[in-house]
Amino acid sequence: MKKRWPITILYRAFSSSTTSTTASFPLKHVKKSNFDSALSSLRHHVQAADFVAIDLEMTGITSAPWRDSFEFDRFDVRYLKVKDSAEKFAVIQFGVSPFRWDPLKQSFITHPHNFFIFQRQELPLDGAAYEFLCQTTSMDFLAKYQFDFNACIHEGVSYLSREQEDKALKHVNSTYEDESLDSWHSLKEIRDTHLFNIPDILFAERMKDRLSEWLGGLLRNRDGGSEVQPSFNDSKQQFETIFFKMRPAISLNGFTSHQLLLIQLVVRKHFKDLAYLRVSGENSCSQNVIVYIESESDKKMLMKEVKDEQKIDAEMSIKASIGFRHVIDLLSSEKKLIVGHNCFLDIAHIYSKFFGPLPLTAEEFISSVNKYFPHIIDTKILLNSNSILQQRMKKSSTSLSKAFSVLCPQIALGSKSTHLALQPSVKVEVEVDDIRSSNWNSGVKHEAGYDAFMTGCVFAQACSHLGIDFKQQSSSENLAHNEKLREHVNLLYLSWTNGEIINLSTGNRTSESLASNKRKNHYPKILFECIVIVWGFPSHLKAWDIRECISKVYGPTSVISVYHVDETAVFVQFSRAEMVSKFLDLKGSLDRNNDPISVLHPLAKLLEGGNTCAASYETYKEICSSTVSKVLFADQAKAVGIKWKTKLVESSDKTKEHESLRKVKAVNSDPSCGERTKNKNFDDVSNDSSYSQLSSDEIIDSFYTREAKQI
Amino acid sequence: MVPKFKPSPLRIRSFCTKTVQQNPHHWPIKQITKTNFNESLSEIKNHISSSDFIAVSLQNTGSFSSPWHRVSTFDTPETAYLKAKFAAERFQILQFAICPFKLQASKVIAYPYNFHLFPRDELKMGMPSYSFTCQTSYLTAMAKEGFDFNTCIYDGISYLSEAQESTVKVRMGNPMAVDHATKSSSSPALSVADTVFIERVRSRVKHWKNACTDSDIKTEALVTSLRKIVLGGEQFGSRPSMTIDVCSERQVQLVLKMLEDFSDVLVPLIIPAKGGGTQAVRAVLTSSDEDKDLLKRELQTFEFEQNKRVRGFREVIDLISASQKPLVAHNSLNDFTFIHSKFLAPLPPNMNEFICSLRLAFPQVIDVNYLLKDIGPVKKMTNISATIAYLKNRFFAPIEMEIPNQANENEGKIHGHNVVKICQLFGKLCSILKITPDAIESSDDFLASAINRYANIFYSLPGSSQEPTNEEIRGWTNDKRKVSCEDVVFLWGFRERISAGILKNMLQGSHEVFAEAFNVRMVDRSCAIVVFGKPGLSNTFKNVMNSKAVSGPLREMVSDGLKAAGYETYQRVCSSGLWESALADALDKTLASHNCLSEAAYETKQSEIYLSNELINLAEL
């Protein structure tokens, strides 16, 4: 993903070389202490904004190396990987930068906010403890950029997702429905178990005396008697007479929990006109009181009063725990254009952290996202899909920092750079707590607030290159509806690796067309039904060994490519779909037989050790959907509970269809001629030798990329 | 020794003044990060070798994710281990405090160190851990104590486990000097192909050697460098070298044999391949015999330095292990599963193997909780400070803490107090149990045998300092019977937030098996365990639940979703790693997956669990 790869990051270093001419007052950092005030000011800024740029910092990207994004990711698998990442890792920083066009100044004004967020378990929600995963390399990377973990953990703003809030409110409702019942019950148990030993009985007697004394005094008082009971002086601290809900009451202090239970028992047993209550007092510490009640109906009233109050308190504390989600709610309710850079993962994080659990399929996810955020624009797609912008970018990398320095040099390098004057540029003025600057630079830090700012600047500049004239743009019109932007709105990279783009408003998927010249797109089109995943093979076997091994059985052109998922697993792409089931059938029978013939079989090399498993692409998807994340794929498969060695493909209608299609094409060739002749008729493979040449290059290529990642 | 129950007032007072001095917040505990790690090592080494015991204490990023993941009284040693294993594999150690200490009568001389760890991927190989889990509550608690996460992440010491180190060595592909044992293993019979291969290599080597030695005489620099390119010459450090690619181990032997002919100036090195085996042989040209020795020494120091860098904090673990000193811990199962998984090797699948493997590295592990048990029935003592306070009230066993360390003054916050408290508690317990002789020097053997009685027992009561749930446990801690796993049934599928009492009431009238004495306890919100007092009833109950004959109120409950399973299902949940957040879900999943397999596959073990305290005795296993 963007900005996490070291190469991308190196570009960030540009800001360190900035000349002193740029203003460098710090970003607006928002923590627990200044959250409320920041929120209210942000509300105004967002309401007035033309668009809002966002950026997130997380504790990691992939929970296991094999969950990384590959060329061999089908869109549903890609979504599962993004889902896994968003569910496991935490967001620790959230940058929000609302941009507003100021017609008087002929410039954008932005207020970059850098929120430190950290979800604390503030409510007594049942079940699992809050936890998140940290990817060691990501943490180390953040540390390199001097990320302030202390600010995040000590002072980060907490939050509740909408789902968590609903759950908590329901919990409160049900608690206050059956509380009376439960407390009665627990008392019954006390009666059964305690009061057997002498000290307890004596203590209970003493309490009984004291309470009746107090009660007596109280009644005398009401009849106009004297004021103070001297006998109570010694225990004044323990028995403090107070007024509770307009009723006389005793506040109990300094008793042990066992003593309190005994007192409670005494009250229930011997005093009809006293009620024992445990209420949460100030500072959330609970207070034990004994209240004088006039009658049974008075008691009910009191109970209801207390219960309602406690319920309201509980609801208040839930509302107070919403925290940072207010910002997301604000962005969602204002329906502003949201701008991110390669932000599919960011959006998934926002969804899972602030709305609810991510849906199981990409389709559902997209339609719900569209409901919450009707207009999203991704600057990375924008830069890659428009030829004017590509030209502007001079075909350089579209990483955020690179785009920023190419498109907005006046901001990135300071306005002193003379040669830039020729280029028409959109002015951006930064405002942080009443300090303004038109050539602002926050410093070197790799922070969400600054990244959001950069994203916004890139977007503003890109709009200008696209011919959007902000001067003519009326403030009431939503930028997202601008006809020059319309074709770019709501497109996100599902996967940057294979250029698959998804349209959030329609759910359509397209492959990137314009930018294809940029990527080293020498991969043949991937047919997922032709893919077998093999894992658990002997560790010394490499891609070419496996290819050779399978080619011995099915012919030299049978295998299009072998791609390492990780050191324990490979994808084998066959030239035809039916070979998948053939291969799995053969492997299955070899697994079962242990006779000398199967030992001599060419595949025996692959099956050596007896742990080699194979299955179709669907099994790979299934394994990806698991919540478990073992580092090695082979371990993962085991953890998911796969006990078989070979999963045969049920001859589904789809494969049959393909087969019949091929049979028509292969009609001229004699089936007994073997694989080679058949292959020649297969439409994808026009020239055998060149094809195999290409694929072997690719094997090596893919292998080296894996290796490079490991090193 | 001080009399236990008749303390003289005077002595107490004098002791009290000492307590003021040893205010835990002023204990000078040396804080070690990457910056001062290397310089502290030798000092630590000395303290370890001169100590009697070493206390250890860990600060982790979490312990259990769901209530039922916590090791509890209904766990057998095996399930307790599996729970601890699950935690150790996911969470991370951020602080590792060690304290070598000496025990002299009523005096503890301690040298506490607190190491800040972070599993930084120093070698870019996804090690020591690709990722780790953090529990927010743990981080928040650490934040409250003033823990500096920035120091930890920026400047924490990394490490590799023993197992990781050996894989790394292969993967790093460092050239290895050839020892003579492997070199002259056998002189293989030469085939024609071998001879051709050898001669080809020999002539290459000869040409290259001549080119290198001649170059300083008359040829120009350009020609030299061109020649080097053509001949495949490289530099190894400051010396010229040449790489000879090999395809098999046989060729390695052949090349080495051939290089013996040049042994006056050439030193052969083996370049390991990434997947094991040999990738190439490298010949390094030396100018003289002295230079050759120098090279060999250089290689050794290089390897030594690199190993040190790779091992990081494990250096300390190795020192402790090498010292063979008894280790003192609180909640040892938890700590030592972490230690094993982070510093030794991945955790084995069962308790027995774990204990065997651990014993190889640490022969004696003493859990203070177990010593505590010898004093008498102690109620839930999960917190060290509370335990110390409890002992202070009940026994007179003053322990003087002497910490000669000079803490680094510039450190803001001092962490790792627990390890000193463990020393203190251990000292107290030894004094109360009269393990400590008056003069320790005179009778080392006595101490050793006395301590041995307590060693290697993994006390598995939950030891984390979570909020105590008194009411729930109370009914059980008084009850110290052993309960056979056979008599335990897990129940789930009832309304959430039901209390054990209500559930018991509901069950009481539902079937005749509940006419006899039985007990109910909630495991988590979704699941309860029922313990039958009379043997055999649990089976009757399980059979009734699964038969059509179920009738009356029980049928009503079953129709509402009530399910039951025996202890073996729970064991299967733990061993299959289905750590769902609700135990009910995990049990359901296990039953579902189990139905596919044959019923007889799993044998019910006749293990016994204790309702109160359970012990896992390592010596008996």
Side-chain angles (χ1 to χ4, degrees):
Chain A
M1 299 274 98
K2 69 184 178 196
K3 81 212 161 164
R4 268 115 205 148
W5 303 118
I7 297 157
T8 320
I9 294 325
L10 282 176
Y11 294 119
R12 294 283 161 97
F14 69 85
S15 37
S16 60
S17 62
T18 327
T19 49
S20 55
T21 53
T22 50
S24 62
F25 45 87
L27 263 173
K28 186 172 176 74
H29 295 294
V30 186
K31 298 170 191 171
K32 248 192 306 196
S33 50
N34 61 342
F35 178 70
D36 290 334
S37 67
L39 179 65
S40 66
S41 69
L42 184 67
R43 202 176 289 278
H44 298 298
H45 297 318
V46 168
Q47 274 158 1
D50 291 292
F51 65 90
V52 182
I54 56 159
D55 187 81
L56 277 66
E57 292 296 333
M58 307 85 154
T59 56
I61 304 292
T62 49
S63 59
W66 58 269
R67 292 226 197 231
D68 220 333
S69 129
F70 296 140
E71 283 86 343
F72 280 80
D73 289 343
R74 199 166 58 192
F75 84 97
D76 49 351
V77 167
R78 180 69 208 136
Y79 172 71
L80 289 175
K81 287 181 174 178
V82 168
K83 178 171 176 277
D84 174 76
S85 174
E87 281 167 348
K88 290 208 171 98
F89 295 105
V91 173
I92 46 178
Q93 219 177 39
F94 201 113
V96 180
S97 196
F99 280 69
R100 175 175 65 88
W101 178 255
D102 188 334
L104 295 173
K105 296 195 164 171
Q106 296 291 304
S107 139
F108 270 108
I109 295 182
T110 185
H111 302 83
H113 284 66
N114 190 44
F115 290 90
F116 283 95
I117 60 177
F118 187 73
Q119 190 175 30
R120 283 179 207 84
Q121 211 150 5
E122 290 173 338
L123 297 173
L125 277 177
D126 57 324
Y130 288 175
E131 53 186 44
F132 60 89
L133 203 63
C134 295
Q135 196 179 344
T136 317
T137 45
S138 301
M139 299 296 275
D140 199 30
F141 165 73
L142 287 171
K144 268 188 200 121
Y145 286 86
Q146 306 286 307
F147 184 91
D148 192 345
F149 295 97
N150 286 340
C152 177
I153 297 166
H154 290 241
E155 302 166 76
V157 184
S158 187
Y159 58 86
L160 277 188
S161 75
R162 291 191 180 177
E163 208 234 359
Q164 284 167 324
E165 185 195 348
D166 288 349
K167 240 187 185 168
L169 287 174
K170 266 188 204 139
H171 177 80
V172 165
N173 281 331
S174 64
T175 313
Y176 288 100
E177 266 163 35
D178 12 292
E179 198 216 29
S180 57
L181 196 131
D182 277 355
S183 60
W184 268 112
H185 190 83
S186 66
L187 197 78
K188 204 168 130 200
E189 282 181 320
I190 298 161
R191 185 154 41 215
D192 293 344
T193 48
H194 299 282
L195 271 188
F196 286 122
N197 56 42
I198 298 299
D200 281 359
I201 293 170
L202 290 180
F203 179 78
E205 280 305 312
R206 168 63 52 87
M207 288 302 123
K208 194 179 147 192
D209 292 349
R210 282 192 175 179
L211 285 173
S212 46
E213 205 174 312
W214 180 78
L215 197 62
L218 195 72
L219 294 173
R220 268 202 308 282
N221 266 354
R222 204 170 52 170
D223 302 338
S226 65
E227 293 264 312
V228 193
Q229 296 94 39
S231 62
F232 253 57
N233 278 350
D234 57 327
S235 55
K236 206 152 203 175
Q237 272 152 359
Q238 282 190 315
F239 278 64
E240 190 189 349
T241 306
I242 55 163
F243 275 89
F244 185 80
K245 306 275 171 217
M246 316 286 285
R247 297 169 180 89
I250 308 171
S251 164
L252 302 171
N253 300 310
F255 289 102
T256 66
S257 61
H258 180 68
Q259 288 169 336
L260 286 172
L261 275 173
L262 291 173
I263 296 172
Q264 194 177 352
L265 200 63
V266 168
V267 171
R268 298 259 174 167
K269 224 174 174 179
H270 303 286
F271 297 95
K272 278 209 176 97
D273 34 12
L274 291 181
Y276 184 98
L277 286 177
R278 211 167 103 160
V279 290
S280 50
E282 291 133 54
N283 312 329
S284 75
C285 60
S286 66
Q287 192 189 9
N288 294 283
V289 289
I290 297 171
V291 190
Y292 172 75
I293 44 169
E294 309 243 303
S295 62
E296 200 53 30
S297 64
D298 185 40
K299 184 179 174 182
K300 268 185 194 145
M301 234 166 76
L302 173 72
M303 289 303 216
K304 195 178 169 329
E305 229 173 287
V306 170
K307 224 154 96 175
D308 287 350
E309 195 177 78
Q310 283 179 341
K311 193 176 160 188
I312 288 166
D313 278 354
E315 282 167 351
M316 292 281 280
S317 73
I318 291 169
K319 292 285 172 214
S321 312
I322 291 173
F324 181 75
R325 207 195 76 218
H326 285 301
V327 175
I328 302 300
D329 286 346
L330 172 67
L331 295 180
S332 173
S333 65
E334 288 297 322
K335 302 205 181 308
K336 292 287 174 185
L337 177 63
I338 304 289
V339 180
H341 190 82
N342 201 6
C343 60
F344 190 69
L345 181 64
D346 291 355
I347 301 289
H349 266 289
I350 293 175
Y351 193 99
S352 90
K353 302 289 181 296
F354 307 113
F355 295 109
L358 284 165
L360 290 172
T361 65
E363 288 84 355
E364 287 172 69
F365 169 67
I366 286 154
S367 70
S368 337
V369 166
N370 200 233
K371 260 187 282 167
Y372 293 127
F373 299 110
H375 318 292
I376 299 175
I377 209 155
D378 190 319
T379 44
K380 195 170 179 89
I381 292 197
L382 191 63
L383 296 180
N384 277 312
S385 58
N386 186 286
S387 53
I388 307 165
L389 293 174
Q390 275 194 305
Q391 201 193 333
R392 284 283 174 193
M393 287 296 294
K394 302 175 186 101
K395 299 202 169 157
S396 78
S397 134
T398 48
S399 76
L400 176 59
S401 47
K402 189 70 188 167
F404 183 60
S405 58
V406 171
L407 289 181
C408 317
Q410 78 288 356
I411 308 169
L413 303 168
S415 53
K416 281 287 164 76
S417 316
T418 47
H419 68 281
L420 301 164
L422 304 167
Q423 199 182 329
S425 61
V426 179
K427 276 207 286 178
V428 178
E429 201 165 282
V430 176
E431 195 179 305
V432 175
D433 295 333
D434 301 330
I435 315 171
R436 281 196 181 198
S437 167
S438 54
N439 48 11
W440 174 78
N441 208 306
S442 86
V444 283
K445 285 194 177 177
H446 175 74
E447 273 170 318
Y450 189 66
D451 285 357
F453 163 73
M454 289 201 290
T455 308
C457 291
V458 166
F459 176 67
Q461 193 61 53
C463 283
S464 145
H465 290 317
L466 285 176
I468 297 168
D469 191 354
F470 295 108
K471 289 163 199 158
Q472 323 247 295
Q473 177 91 4
S474 82
S475 56
S476 58
E477 194 193 342
N478 193 330
L479 197 58
H481 297 138
N482 188 300
E483 55 178 24
K484 281 166 184 146
L485 270 184
R486 206 179 292 154
E487 56 174 316
H488 303 291
V489 169
N490 282 342
L491 294 182
L492 292 186
Y493 276 119
L494 195 53
S495 157
W496 163 243
T497 326
N498 53 23
E500 198 159 7
I501 292 172
I502 193 149
N503 188 325
L504 294 180
S505 18
T506 62
N508 291 339
R509 294 191 313 275
T510 43
S511 258
E512 197 163 49
S513 48
L514 247 166
S516 54
N517 55 342
K518 262 194 204 174
R519 26 180 108 252
K520 41 177 177 54
N521 205 352
H522 58 242
Y523 285 89
K525 190 168 163 36
I526 294 159
L527 296 165
F528 293 99
E529 64 269 22
C530 298
I531 289 180
V532 174
I533 181 150
V534 184
W535 69 91
F537 46 81
S539 60
H540 60 85
L541 288 186
K542 297 296 169 231
W544 51 75
D545 303 318
I546 292 166
R547 180 191 165 83
E548 189 188 76
C549 192
I550 297 171
S551 298
K552 268 187 206 156
V553 185
Y554 295 106
T557 57
S558 57
V559 179
I560 290 183
S561 62
V562 175
Y563 184 94
H564 266 277
V565 177
D566 72 358
E567 58 209 89
T568 64
V570 288
F571 283 128
V572 177
Q573 189 183 5
F574 285 102
S575 56
R576 283 161 305 138
E578 75 265 21
M579 292 174 79
V580 167
S581 53
K582 269 192 194 167
F583 172 78
L584 293 176
D585 283 341
L586 174 65
K587 189 189 165 288
S589 66
L590 288 173
D591 285 340
R592 283 189 298 277
N593 303 331
N594 223 348
D595 50 58
I597 300 157
S598 46
V599 175
L600 292 172
H601 196 276
L603 273 187
K605 195 174 156 195
L606 184 65
L607 305 184
E608 211 178 288
N611 296 318
T612 309
C613 303
S616 69
Y617 196 81
E618 290 309 312
T619 305
Y620 174 62
K621 181 188 169 187
E622 201 182 295
I623 291 171
C624 283
S625 71
S626 156
T627 53
V628 185
S629 262
K630 297 280 175 192
V631 174
L632 296 178
F633 186 84
D635 295 339
Q636 170 80 9
K638 230 180 266 165
V640 167
I642 290 176
K643 294 188 182 80
W644 39 262
K645 278 192 195 161
T646 309
K647 189 163 190 179
L648 305 180
V649 205
E650 304 91 49
S651 51
S652 66
D653 294 345
K654 208 174 165 189
T655 47
K656 267 182 194 157
E657 192 189 308
H658 277 276
E659 259 165 357
S660 59
L661 198 77
R662 257 161 227 136
K663 268 176 196 146
V664 174
K665 280 179 180 158
V667 74
N668 289 332
S669 65
D670 184 353
S672 62
C673 278
E675 310 291 337
R676 275 189 91 78
T677 14
K678 258 194 196 171
N679 249 334
K680 287 229 162 81
N681 288 295
F682 188 43
D683 46 4
D684 267 7
V685 188
S686 52
N687 183 325
D688 268 348
S689 58
S690 72
Y691 209 101
S692 58
Q693 184 71 47
L694 180 73
S695 51
S696 66
D697 282 346
E698 173 217 316
I699 293 163
I700 293 166
D701 190 285
S702 67
F703 182 59
Y704 279 124
T705 47
R706 290 302 311 161
E707 271 201 326
K709 277 180 196 169
Q710 279 164 13
I711 290 167
Chain B
M1 194 159 156
V2 189
K4 215 192 305 182
F5 296 113
K6 276 202 285 178
S8 79
L10 206 87
R11 293 196 72 158
I12 289 185
R13 200 165 305 136
S14 72
F15 175 61
C16 285
T17 51
K18 270 174 197 153
T19 341
V20 177
Q21 283 168 2
Q22 48 178 312
N23 180 349
H25 295 283
H26 300 296
W27 278 338
I29 299 160
K30 208 159 191 183
Q31 308 292 308
I32 313 268
T33 59
K34 208 166 68 177
T35 336
N36 59 348
F37 178 63
N38 280 333
E39 67 196 46
S40 313
L41 264 180
S42 63
E43 182 189 304
I44 295 163
K45 191 177 179 179
N46 290 338
H47 287 152
I48 286 176
S49 61
S50 64
S51 66
D52 299 328
F53 302 94
I54 303 162
V56 295
S57 158
L58 311 181
Q59 171 65 269
N60 303 329
T61 59
S63 64
F64 54 89
S65 317
S66 297
W68 77 273
H69 293 172
R70 184 177 187 164
V71 176
S72 186
T73 46
F74 60 83
D75 277 309
T76 59
E78 206 55 53
T79 57
Y81 168 69
L82 290 167
K83 285 177 173 186
K85 174 174 182 266
F86 179 59
E89 282 166 351
R90 293 165 65 233
F91 298 110
Q92 186 58 44
I93 305 171
L94 291 187
Q95 292 184 76
F96 195 121
I98 72 154
C99 183
F101 66 99
K102 275 185 265 197
L103 204 56
Q104 290 175 355
S106 63
K107 191 170 165 191
V108 169
I109 305 160
Y111 301 90
Y113 294 90
N114 187 43
F115 296 87
H116 295 251
L117 305 187
F118 185 74
R120 202 173 303 99
D121 190 357
E122 303 267 15
L123 303 163
K124 306 280 170 266
M125 285 186 184
M127 287 180 202
S129 74
Y130 185 82
S131 62
F132 57 91
T133 309
C134 294
Q135 241 159 26
T136 11
S137 54
Y138 269 68
L139 298 191
T140 319
M142 284 165 84
K144 277 194 189 124
E145 286 167 20
F147 183 74
D148 187 343
F149 291 94
N150 289 347
T151 314
C152 170
I153 298 167
Y154 298 178
D155 208 19
I157 311 157
S158 193
Y159 57 87
L160 284 188
S161 74
E162 273 174 30
Q164 284 169 331
E165 190 188 343
S166 45
T167 47
V168 159
K169 269 191 182 156
V170 175
R171 273 218 256 162
M172 286 213 294
N174 278 333
M176 294 186 291
V178 185
D179 51 5
H180 288 268
T182 55
K183 196 154 70 176
S184 53
S185 52
S186 64
S187 47
L190 297 183
S191 69
V192 180
D194 290 341
T195 326
V196 171
F197 172 76
I198 289 178
E199 287 314 312
R200 212 180 59 230
V201 174
R202 187 195 300 276
S203 76
R204 260 183 72 205
V205 170
K206 206 183 268 168
H207 275 106
W208 163 74
K209 200 191 114 197
N210 291 341
C212 288
T213 41
D214 288 354
S215 63
D216 48 346
I217 306 172
K218 46 185 175 291
T219 38
E220 288 170 50
L222 177 69
V223 178
T224 325
S225 53
L226 273 176
R227 186 182 286 158
K228 268 184 191 160
I229 292 164
V230 172
L231 294 170
E234 295 153 358
Q235 289 292 115
F236 183 80
S238 57
R239 298 176 185 85
S241 77
M242 185 182 138
T243 305
I244 304 156
D245 289 318
V246 289
C247 307
S248 64
E249 289 303 312
R250 179 168 171 79
Q251 288 190 348
V252 175
Q253 295 303 324
L254 293 172
V255 170
L256 292 178
K257 187 112 184 79
M258 187 275 294
L259 285 175
E260 276 174 24
D261 301 345
F262 301 93
S263 63
D264 51 336
V265 284
L266 291 187
V267 177
L269 299 176
I270 287 179
I271 315 289
K274 292 240 147 69
T278 309
Q279 190 190 353
V281 176
R282 180 174 288 176
V284 182
L285 187 70
T286 52
S287 54
S288 62
D289 277 353
E290 295 85 67
D291 190 37
K292 215 164 96 180
D293 288 340
L294 192 69
L295 173 68
K296 281 182 180 163
R297 267 204 305 278
E298 269 175 30
L299 283 170
Q300 268 171 4
T301 32
F302 174 73
E303 196 184 329
F304 181 74
E305 286 300 315
Q306 194 179 41
N307 285 349
K308 210 165 153 183
R309 194 169 62 87
V310 163
R311 281 200 290 267
F313 173 72
R314 218 197 70 236
E315 199 80 28
V316 177
I317 298 291
D318 288 353
L319 286 177
I320 294 175
S321 174
S323 77
Q324 302 277 301
K325 298 270 153 101
L327 302 186
V328 182
H330 181 258
N331 195 11
S332 56
L333 180 64
N334 177 56
D335 284 1
F336 281 89
T337 43
F338 267 88
I339 291 172
H340 191 288
S341 107
K342 308 293 176 205
F343 306 115
L344 303 178
L347 284 164
N350 59 56
M351 184 79 167
N352 270 356
E353 285 178 49
F354 163 68
I355 285 169
C356 293
S357 163
L358 187 70
R359 191 144 51 168
L360 291 177
F362 309 111
Q364 273 193 320
V365 175
I366 302 158
D367 194 316
V368 283
N369 274 325
Y370 185 61
L371 290 182
L372 205 56
K373 215 197 135 254
D374 245 25
I375 287 178
V378 179
K379 278 188 192 164
K380 258 174 77 77
M381 277 298 162
T382 52
N383 180 311
I384 305 171
S385 306
T387 316
I388 292 176
Y390 167 83
L391 290 179
K392 211 177 200 169
N393 290 338
R394 286 196 54 184
F395 302 99
F396 182 73
I399 287 296
E400 189 187 330
M401 297 297 294
E402 186 185 319
I403 302 172
N405 262 1
Q406 292 294 310
N408 6 18
E409 283 117 30
N410 49 350
E411 292 288 338
K413 202 72 178 161
I414 290 193
H415 298 278
H417 292 293
N418 264 1
V419 82
V420 186
K421 286 183 194 160
I422 290 173
C423 298
Q424 195 184 11
L425 178 59
F426 182 75
K428 256 186 203 304
L429 287 167
C430 285
S431 150
I432 292 165
L433 294 166
K434 296 203 167 76
I435 299 173
T436 348
D438 287 310
I440 197 161
E441 304 83 35
S442 61
S443 50
D444 266 353
D445 290 340
F446 170 74
L447 181 72
S449 64
I451 280 301
N452 222 352
R453 206 158 66 81
Y454 297 100
N456 294 340
I457 292 167
F458 286 75
Y459 188 72
S460 60
L461 253 191
S464 75
S465 49
Q466 294 286 306
E467 50 176 17
T469 46
N470 285 328
E471 271 122 304
E472 212 178 284
I473 311 285
R474 187 172 293 138
W476 292 75
T477 32
N478 295 334
D479 197 352
K480 294 216 186 309
R481 297 172 290 140
K482 279 181 187 176
V483 170
S484 162
C485 295
E486 290 264 281
D487 298 327
V488 175
V489 173
F490 286 77
L491 270 189
W492 70 99
F494 40 78
R495 178 170 68 90
E496 277 216 357
R497 275 195 294 280
I498 200 168
S499 77
I502 292 178
L503 188 62
K504 191 172 177 180
N505 280 351
M506 284 164 75
L507 289 173
Q508 231 144 22
S510 68
H511 193 269
E512 58 193 4
V513 290
F514 295 111
E516 301 278 340
F518 72 102
N519 216 339
V520 178
R521 177 180 162 189
M522 302 304 291
V523 179
D524 65 359
R525 278 172 192 273
S526 70
C527 185
I529 58 174
V530 177
V531 181
F532 289 92
K534 204 172 142 192
L537 282 184
S538 67
N539 274 335
T540 322
F541 176 62
K542 276 184 277 178
N543 290 338
V544 168
M545 287 287 288
N546 290 328
S547 71
K548 279 183 185 157
V550 57
S551 61
L554 190 59
R555 190 190 181 89
E556 201 56 33
M557 289 165 79
V558 173
S559 310
D560 279 343
L562 189 75
K563 285 178 119 181
Y567 201 86
E568 71 285 352
T569 312
Y570 174 68
Q571 284 173 321
R572 211 157 46 229
V573 166
C574 295
S575 60
S576 62
L578 284 168
W579 303 103
E580 306 288 322
S581 68
L583 179 55
D585 292 342
L587 287 164
D588 272 331
K589 278 201 177 175
T590 310
L591 284 184
S593 73
H594 184 56
N595 286 342
C596 314
L597 303 164
S598 69
E599 282 286 329
Y602 212 89
E603 197 183 311
T604 316
K605 272 194 218 155
Q606 297 273 331
S607 347
E608 287 191 323
I609 50 170
Y610 297 73
L611 276 185
S612 176
N613 303 331
E614 90 164 353
L615 301 174
I616 304 161
N617 194 331
L618 192 137
E620 287 165 9
L621 285 166

